[in-house]
Amino acid sequence: MEFFKKTGPGILLCLCIAIPSWFLGSLAPVIGGPVFAILIGMVVTQVLKKKEPFKIGVAFTSKKILQYAVILLGFGMNLSDILMQGKQSLPIIVSTITTSLIIAFVMYKALKMPSKISILVGVGSSICGGSAIAATAPVIRADDEEIAQSISVIFLFNIIAALIFPTLGGILGLTDQGFGLFAGTAINDTSSVTAAATAWDGMHGSNTLDTAAIVKLTRTLAIIPITLILALYQTKKAKNASDGSKVSMKKIFPFFILFFVLASVITTVFSLPAAVTDPIKTLSKFFIVMAMSAIGLNTNIVKLFKNGGKPILMGLCCWIGIAGVSLLLQHVLNIW
C-alpha cells in the first residue's frame, strides 16, 4: 500500500499522457505514440508547478515500466519462424547493423560526443529504433534526456524514410521483394516500416508488407547479443572502477534482458498463437509509450534542442550508411 501511495501519482500522470499519445500515434503511425508521449511530457513538465509528488512514480515508470515493456516484447518473437523466413535477409541485416555501429563509433570519437547517446543512436539506427533504445538504455544507465534525444533523432529519419523511400525505390527500379528488404533493413521503427511498405503496395499493387515485417522482426533479434555484450562491458567497467571493493552482479547485470530472451523462447517452444501474443505485444507497446511519457516529463526541452546538432548528424550518417549498404548488397546478391 505504501508503494502505491508513493508511486501512484506519478504513474497516473504518465498514464494520463500515454492514453492520448497512444491514440494520436494510431492516427499518425509515421510519428508514433512514443514520440507524441515525449513531446506532451516535455510540455506538461514546463507548466507543472509542484513536481515533487510525482517524482517517485515518474522515475518508476521511466525505468521499471520500460523494462517490463522490453520483456513483453519477447512474446511477439517466434524465433524459429523469424529465422526460417528471414534467412535471405540475414547477410544484409548483419552488414547494415555493423555499418551503423562502426559509423556511430567513428563519429563518437571524431565529434567527441557523449558515449551513452552515441550508443543509443547507433543501436537505435542499426536495429529497430525505439525498441532497441528501450532495451539498451537501462543496460548502459542512460538518463532520460539522452533517451529522449536519441528517440527524437531516430524519429526524424524514420519520417523522412517513410515519405521518400517508396519513390526512391521506384526510381531505382527495385522489385517488390527488393523494396521489402530495403524497407525492413533501412528503416528503424516498425510503424515507419509499415507505412513505407503500405505506400509501396498502394503504388504498385503488390504485397511487400509481409516481407518488410519479417525482415524487421529478424533485425529485432539483434537486441539480444547487443544488449548482452553491452551488459558484460558495463559489468567489467564497474568492477575496474570499484577500487577493489566488491561489486554486486545483481545490481549491475540487466536481468530483464534474460527475461526478454525467455519470453521469446516460450513463444517459440510452445508456438503461442496470435490470439495470445497480439494482446501482449500491444501491452508492450503501450508500456513503451508510458515510459516515454515519464522520459518527456524528466526532459529539459531547451537543453534537448541546444545539444541536438551532433546526435542528428550521427543519425544522418548512420541512416545514409545503412541505406547505402542495403542497396549495394541487394545489387551484389542480385535480389533487386
Side-chain angles (χ1 to χ4, degrees):
M1 193 67 185
E2 186 66 23
F3 169 79
F4 290 108
K5 190 175 179 181
K6 287 181 178 179
T7 60
I11 294 174
L12 187 60
L13 176 61
C14 293
L15 188 62
C16 289
I17 295 171
I19 291 171
S21 299
W22 176 267
F23 285 109
L24 286 170
S26 64
L27 293 173
V30 174
I31 298 174
V35 174
F36 280 116
I38 288 175
L39 294 174
I40 295 172
M42 287 192 296
V43 172
V44 169
T45 199
Q46 294 297 313
V47 298
L48 195 64
K49 291 182 179 178
K50 293 183 179 179
K51 297 183 175 66
E52 197 60 35
F54 306 100
K55 195 172 180 181
I56 296 175
V58 169
F60 176 84
T61 305
S62 71
K63 298 296 186 292
K64 292 297 182 182
I65 297 292
L66 188 59
Q67 292 179 17
Y68 300 153
V70 174
I71 293 169
L72 294 177
L73 192 67
F75 286 103
M77 299 178 67
N78 187 309
L79 305 180
S80 58
D81 287 351
I82 293 169
L83 290 174
M84 183 178 68
Q85 297 180 58
K87 277 189 290 188
Q88 185 185 36
S89 63
L90 275 175
I92 299 174
I93 290 170
V94 171
S95 300
T96 53
I97 289 173
T98 304
T99 298
S100 178
L101 294 176
I102 290 172
I103 290 172
F105 179 75
V106 170
M107 295 195 70
Y108 152 67
K109 290 289 188 182
L111 299 176
K112 295 180 172 60
M113 289 179 59
S115 61
K116 290 179 182 178
I117 196 163
S118 300
I119 291 170
L120 292 178
V121 172
V123 169
S125 298
S126 63
I127 301 175
C128 55
S131 299
I133 291 170
T136 306
V139 176
I140 63 172
R141 289 171 170 74
D143 64 35
D144 289 345
E145 288 187 354
E146 288 166 332
I147 297 171
Q149 200 158 51
S150 56
I151 289 277
S152 301
V153 169
I154 299 301
F155 148 74
L156 172 64
F157 295 109
N158 275 339
I159 285 195
I160 296 172
L163 292 174
I164 70 170
F165 274 18
T167 303
L168 177 63
I171 292 170
L172 293 172
L174 293 180
T175 62
D176 293 336
Q177 183 188 12
F179 184 79
L181 278 168
F182 181 46
T185 53
I187 304 176
N188 306 314
D189 196 72
T190 303
S191 58
S192 297
V193 171
T194 302
T198 302
W200 175 272
D201 288 342
M203 291 163 64
H204 299 272
S206 57
N207 187 27
T208 63
L209 183 56
D210 288 345
T211 302
I214 290 166
V215 173
K216 175 67 175 59
L217 282 172
T218 309
R219 271 174 78 193
T220 305
L221 289 177
I223 285 177
I224 298 169
I226 290 289
T227 48
L228 290 177
I229 289 167
L230 285 170
L232 292 171
Y233 172 73
Q234 290 292 113
T235 304
K236 185 179 177 182
K237 190 171 153 186
K239 283 183 177 178
N240 291 339
S242 63
D243 299 324
S245 59
K246 287 189 176 181
V247 178
S248 170
M249 179 66 77
K250 189 176 179 181
K251 288 184 179 179
I252 296 172
F253 195 83
F255 287 96
F256 75 95
I257 292 297
L258 300 185
F259 287 119
F260 166 81
V261 176
L262 179 62
S264 304
V265 170
I266 289 171
T267 301
T268 304
V269 171
F270 294 100
S271 298
L272 296 182
V276 174
T277 59
D278 284 351
I280 298 175
K281 285 192 289 184
T282 301
L283 182 60
S284 170
K285 291 175 184 177
F286 184 75
F287 275 0
I288 289 177
V289 174
M290 265 191 80
M292 293 306 122
S293 302
I295 285 164
L297 288 166
N298 283 335
T299 300
N300 185 322
I301 192 168
V302 176
K303 190 176 176 182
L304 182 71
F305 283 109
K306 187 179 177 182
N307 299 331
K310 289 181 180 179
I312 289 173
L313 179 60
M314 176 184 281
L316 173 64
C317 292
C318 288
W319 181 57
I320 291 172
I322 289 168
V325 168
S326 176
L327 291 171
L328 177 63
L329 281 178
Q330 282 197 54
H331 184 65
V332 169
L333 297 172
N334 201 29
I335 294 173
W336 79 15

